[in-house]
Amino acid sequence: MKKRCCRECNTQHPAFYQIRVIGHLDDSWSQWFDGLDITLEEDGETIISGPVLDQPELHGLLKKINDLGLHLLSVEQMECSQQINQQNAEEEVCK
C-alpha cells in the first residue's frame, strides 16, 4: 500500500481529501466510492471525503464522479491536523 509522507507530522499515511459536488448522493453510494464518507449539505451539495492512497486512486474517484454526471465543485487535500479533526480523533495518524 502506497502512502504519502506527511510534511506536517513526518509520518506516512494516506492523504485525506474532501471532494465537493452539486447534488445529493445517499449513503448507498459510499461503497461505490471505495467506502469514503458521504456527507449531505443543506445547500444541496455532497461532500465525499476520506483517505486516498495515491494520485491514480484520486483520478479514479474523479472519473466515477464524471461517469455519474455530477458537477464537480472542488477537490481539497486536507492538512494533517485537519485529518485528525475530520476522523474525530478515533485513530490519530499523526502522533
Side-chain angles (χ1 to χ4, degrees):
M1 175 189 320
K2 282 180 148 180
K3 295 182 180 178
R4 128 179 134 57
C5 185
C6 179
R7 292 172 290 177
E8 186 176 334
C9 67
N10 202 27
T11 62
Q12 298 245 336
H13 55 81
F16 192 91
Y17 282 87
Q18 283 191 343
I19 302 169
R20 187 177 292 268
V21 298
I22 292 178
H24 277 169
L25 297 173
D26 62 43
D27 288 337
S28 67
W29 287 100
S30 179
Q31 190 68 16
W32 200 64
F33 283 105
D34 303 321
L36 296 178
D37 293 326
I38 294 180
T39 305
L40 306 179
E41 299 287 295
E42 289 184 18
D43 60 4
E45 297 174 359
T46 297
I47 299 173
I48 303 165
S49 61
V52 177
L53 296 178
D54 53 22
Q55 290 294 302
E57 184 178 355
L58 177 60
H59 284 268
L61 291 169
L62 296 176
K63 183 179 180 333
K64 287 179 179 184
I65 289 169
N66 184 61
D67 290 348
L68 286 173
L70 297 172
H71 183 82
L72 180 66
L73 292 174
S74 66
V75 177
E76 182 178 4
Q77 182 177 348
M78 307 304 288
E79 293 297 322
C80 187
S81 57
Q82 292 172 309
Q83 292 180 41
I84 294 171
N85 292 336
Q86 185 70 27
Q87 296 171 352
N88 296 322
E90 276 180 26
E91 180 180 313
E92 292 186 11
V93 293
C94 298
K95 284 186 175 180

